[in-house]
Amino acid sequence: MPELNARVDAALAEDGPLASAWPGWRIQPAQRRMALAVADTLEQGGALLAQLQTGGGKTLAYLVPLLLSGTRAVVATSTHVLQHQLAASELPRLAQALGRPVQVGVLKGRGRYVCLQRLREAVQRGPRPGELPRHARMRELLVWAQSSRDGDVDEQPRLTSDPTMRAAITSTSESCLRQACPSLADCHVERARRRAGDADVVVINHHVWLSELRAQRHGRTAGVPRSDTLVFDEAHALHELARQWHTTRTDFAAIARFWADLGELAQGPMRGAAPWAGLALQGGRALRALSMSLHGAAPREGLQAWPLADALVARELGIALQWAHRALAAAEGGDARLGALRERAVAIAEVLQGVLSAAGDQPTWLEWRDNQRWAMVRPGPHASEAAARELATGVDWGARSVVHTSATLGDEPGLRWHGDALGLVPSAVAWRVLPSEPDTPVGGAAWHVPPDLPDPADPAHGEALARCVAHWAERVGGQVLVLTTTRRAADRIAAALLTTLPPSWRVQHATGESGRQGWLALRDETPTVVVASGAFWRGVDVPGNRLRLVVVDKLPFVPPDDPWLQRRLDRARASGLDAFDAVQVTDVAMALRQAAGRLIRGPDDRGLFVVGDVRLRQRAYAPRLLAAMANWRWLEDDASVQAWLDEMALTRASTTGHPCV
């Protein structure tokens, strides 16, 4: 047995240091198998795909060999919550148990750090009419920021919870002045990067990794230090980043920030060099007009063909950008911000040009959520195998060993689905593959598909499902999570629950900034139903078996006109596969596993998982999806659901006696 494998095996033994440090702890067989596979990868180099079921202990399985190897490493995970958990709890605790001191660094995106230069300028300008309270908060923030070690805006939620405030006091890669910044010596972003450069293990999130790759394209860095080992925890979350990596895009927020920053020139040393306020006003009006036009034309949420009717409105925004660019070019040299603003105007205009041309082999797509959350997306010049390998492994970044781990990398032995979702062909990376062993039965977990619900396409579906949720929620006494495929469905179900549940119940609609409050609500004693969509399918972890019921409104099939989906389907057909089964059905199976993972986080957890979609009982693809939940107990009808809840002792006194539909 190689040396590192032997050390890992000894650490995981029944008489090893972990068992001594944590009485009652025992290694699980699949967990040990993964730890030894990671050790092999660290010693031999290369890339590993390691799938371990939810609650199987993936984090320990890669951290033990990582710490015992002494290698410098970057660990990327999917959310800031998991990033904090790794850096502040799991890494120090495990290092202490192993007797291996480790210096841990944390690197977040620059939008998480206060920008001293922007904050100082805002305070020096003084309050605008009607903004005296906001200016007072900024002065208070400046006092804190100048003495803070980290400058992390999350440390001051009372002062920074307003999104417009955060945008005003943080920088982006486009607005940062870099070496020309007068506050460079005190910059919190640069300080975080220096600390990361000195650390043994640096914990980042996936978006920081994407920022690093983008910065490298322009000869810069986002501060991620080159290391021997790169680990992607929750690697399935990279799939959404792949869309961004293979496209060029600009969104409402970026355009709005541009006009706001241009308007700020009217109050600084460049005031009078051009009619900045008027230019910003013209651009802001054009942006709002485009948003309103899109609101009427966008048929649904998600990625879709750009509504051609909006090309004329988009042209007005293009004209405003042209005028702004000319003014910036004429005044350039008097302020370091002008060159950066010119670059931002060009970047927005390049994507906007795709709308105005409305033709060619690279059309622009609309990614729509609502009036203030939409993006223009174009297939980029980097949608290639080389770009996909760069995202998955870093290629030229310098890591000798790369590990991807998750509970959902695929449902076949080669885990091909994960590579496909990243844009890779099977031969692109020489993966060593560690698929899941057959899932062990989860005795405390059951699932159900209500047989009498309307079809998801029926307008009555949302209200009917809400009645079911209310029925089950009252039986379990709270706490309940409802996951929907769209925000519109979340709105409908949340509204129906408010009128169906007793007044003492809390219905939390978790979207955007309210998401964190939703998860916190599940942790107290007030009976609560949280209704959420989007990233919340995979981003919540409620410890201690507080969550008793998770309901999915319908099967999360991606709309068939999604351009990224079409690219993947074409690749599957070219490989001789059944594209619908290999891509779309597998996507749904993995999404269901992720959703179920919100409920069952460990072997002792218990609860009920419901999919409110009768297609799981009717369609030819149903058996394939049913297999994704094969180790959970199947409940056929509402009577068996109620009996099971009573059997599992999850119910308090029953408050209703009617069936759910």
Side-chain angles (χ1 to χ4, degrees):
M1 180 181 290
E3 181 183 352
L4 180 57
N5 289 62
R7 294 203 302 270
V8 169
D9 217 27
L12 301 177
E14 291 185 3
D15 57 351
L18 298 185
S20 299
W22 307 327
W25 176 84
R26 291 293 182 271
I27 187 70
Q28 301 177 52
Q31 191 179 25
R32 177 181 178 274
R33 180 168 163 258
M34 176 177 162
L36 294 176
V38 172
D40 282 338
T41 304
L42 295 180
E43 287 208 320
Q44 300 170 18
L48 172 69
L49 287 184
Q51 181 168 265
L52 199 62
Q53 69 183 84
T54 300
K58 295 181 294 295
T59 304
L60 184 143
Y62 69 76
L63 285 183
V64 168
L66 199 62
L67 292 173
L68 292 177
S69 71
T71 183
R72 291 195 71 201
V74 169
V75 177
T77 191
S78 59
T79 68
H80 290 101
V81 172
L82 293 175
Q83 192 179 1
H84 176 77
Q85 184 176 313
L86 270 170
S89 176
E90 293 175 347
L91 265 165
R93 182 170 175 252
L94 189 56
Q96 182 179 20
L98 293 172
R100 306 282 294 200
V102 63
Q103 185 173 345
V104 180
V106 176
L107 190 61
K108 299 182 179 181
R110 64 169 60 250
R112 293 279 168 169
Y113 302 98
V114 67
C115 175
L116 282 168
Q117 183 61 23
R118 289 172 67 87
L119 183 54
R120 285 167 177 161
E121 289 176 350
V123 171
Q124 290 168 4
R125 283 194 297 266
R128 294 176 176 177
E131 290 190 352
L132 191 60
R134 173 188 170 96
H135 191 260
R137 293 198 302 274
M138 283 192 168
R139 286 185 312 197
E140 187 178 345
L141 269 172
L142 183 58
V143 172
W144 162 78
Q146 291 178 141
S147 61
S148 170
R149 175 184 179 273
D150 297 323
D152 188 335
V153 294
D154 289 340
E155 296 175 10
Q156 295 290 326
R158 179 177 64 85
L159 300 175
T160 62
S161 59
D162 178 5
T164 60
M165 171 70 87
R166 290 183 76 131
I169 63 171
T170 59
S171 69
T172 66
S173 59
E174 296 87 359
S175 64
C176 177
L177 299 178
R178 298 184 178 85
Q179 299 303 314
C181 181
S183 300
L184 182 65
D186 302 324
C187 177
H188 286 298
V189 173
E190 293 300 321
R191 287 180 177 177
R193 291 177 176 181
R194 288 194 292 271
R195 287 193 291 268
D198 294 334
D200 303 309
V201 179
V202 181
V203 183
I204 65 174
N205 60 65
H206 295 160
H207 286 278
V208 171
W209 174 244
L210 186 62
S211 297
E212 176 66 28
L213 296 181
R214 285 176 169 163
Q216 287 181 17
R217 282 181 178 171
H218 296 90
R220 300 194 294 264
T221 178
V224 181
R226 294 182 180 250
S227 302
D228 298 328
T229 301
L230 178 61
V231 177
F232 291 105
D233 197 353
E234 300 294 308
H236 61 273
L238 287 172
H239 300 173
E240 286 301 314
L241 293 192
R243 288 175 173 265
Q244 299 179 36
W245 182 232
H246 292 296
T247 58
T248 55
R249 57 189 286 133
T250 188
D251 57 29
F252 175 90
I255 303 171
R257 283 196 304 268
F258 170 79
W259 295 120
D261 291 347
L262 188 77
E264 296 293 353
L265 295 176
Q267 303 180 56
M270 292 305 298
R271 61 183 179 274
W276 307 118
L279 290 168
L281 183 63
Q282 178 190 7
R285 285 174 175 168
L287 177 60
R288 288 191 295 275
L290 181 57
S291 287
M292 292 300 295
S293 180
L294 290 173
H295 179 76
R300 53 173 166 74
E301 296 174 45
L303 203 61
Q304 54 207 276
W306 186 277
L308 295 181
D310 293 287
L312 182 61
V313 186
R315 194 178 302 278
E316 295 300 317
L317 180 60
I319 293 171
L321 285 167
Q322 287 179 7
W323 281 106
H325 185 270
R326 290 172 185 171
L328 289 165
E332 191 168 353
D335 191 300
R337 291 174 293 179
L338 301 186
L341 282 167
R342 278 188 69 194
E343 291 181 9
R344 292 163 66 187
V346 169
I348 295 168
E350 285 178 349
V351 181
L352 186 61
Q353 184 60 37
V355 175
L356 300 178
S357 64
D361 58 355
Q362 288 193 333
T364 301
W365 295 80
L366 171 66
E367 188 175 275
W368 176 261
R369 292 188 69 183
D370 57 38
N371 281 30
Q372 296 188 6
R373 287 187 293 178
W374 54 262
M376 293 179 277
V377 183
R378 299 194 74 205
H382 307 287
S384 63
E385 290 299 332
R389 285 196 303 273
E390 195 174 4
L391 177 67
T393 67
V395 184
D396 299 325
W397 181 75
R400 179 174 173 269
S401 306
V402 178
V403 176
H404 286 221
T405 183
S406 168
T408 48
L409 296 177
D411 60 354
E412 41 80 36
L415 303 181
R416 173 175 174 154
W417 175 79
H418 177 60
D420 167 75
L422 294 176
L424 294 165
V425 296
S427 60
V429 178
W431 298 105
R432 297 176 66 243
V433 179
L434 186 74
S436 295
E437 295 178 342
D439 289 348
T440 55
V442 182
W447 78 298
H448 174 60
V449 177
D452 300 321
L453 278 176
D455 186 271
D458 190 321
H461 175 266
E463 289 190 10
L465 180 60
R467 288 195 296 272
C468 287
V469 172
H471 169 62
W472 295 316
E474 290 186 75
R475 288 192 65 81
V476 301
Q479 313 292 55
V480 177
L481 172 63
V482 180
L483 296 169
T484 67
T485 53
T486 65
R487 291 190 69 209
R488 193 170 300 169
D491 293 340
R492 288 197 297 264
I493 291 174
L497 286 170
L498 282 170
T499 63
T500 307
L501 285 167
S504 59
W505 278 68
R506 174 173 52 197
V507 177
Q508 182 82 40
H509 193 177
T511 59
E513 293 297 320
S514 69
R516 177 174 171 80
Q517 286 71 30
W519 311 141
L520 293 175
L522 289 170
R523 300 178 184 226
D524 63 31
E525 296 302 318
T526 304
T528 299
V529 178
V530 172
V531 185
S533 61
F536 300 114
W537 279 63
R538 60 178 181 269
V540 60
D541 181 6
V542 182
N545 199 209
R546 295 284 300 164
L547 198 56
R548 299 164 187 167
L549 171 64
V550 171
V551 179
V552 168
D553 72 329
K554 65 178 182 178
L555 298 176
F557 280 105
V558 176
D561 62 346
D562 181 296
W564 184 249
L565 173 65
Q566 286 300 321
R567 181 171 181 263
R568 293 175 59 207
L569 292 173
D570 289 343
R571 295 166 68 94
R573 294 186 192 104
S575 300
L577 300 174
D578 180 325
F580 176 72
D581 187 66
V583 177
Q584 291 171 277
V585 176
T586 308
D587 282 357
V588 172
M590 295 299 102
L592 289 179
R593 282 192 183 180
Q594 279 296 323
R598 303 313 100 214
L599 181 68
I600 302 298
R601 306 296 299 169
D604 298 325
D605 288 354
R606 52 178 60 187
L608 175 63
F609 180 63
V610 176
V611 182
D613 194 328
V614 294
R615 291 177 294 179
L616 262 177
R617 290 175 173 268
Q618 301 168 348
R619 299 296 176 88
Y621 55 73
R624 171 81 185 282
L625 296 178
L626 295 174
M629 307 294 297
N631 64 322
W632 288 35
R633 181 172 173 179
W634 167 254
L635 304 177
E636 175 61 31
D637 50 32
D638 191 66
S640 60
V641 168
Q642 296 189 49
W644 185 85
L645 292 175
D646 292 338
E647 176 189 334
M648 291 290 101
L650 287 176
T651 183
R652 299 174 184 177
S654 177
T655 56
T656 58
H658 54 78
C660 74
V661 180

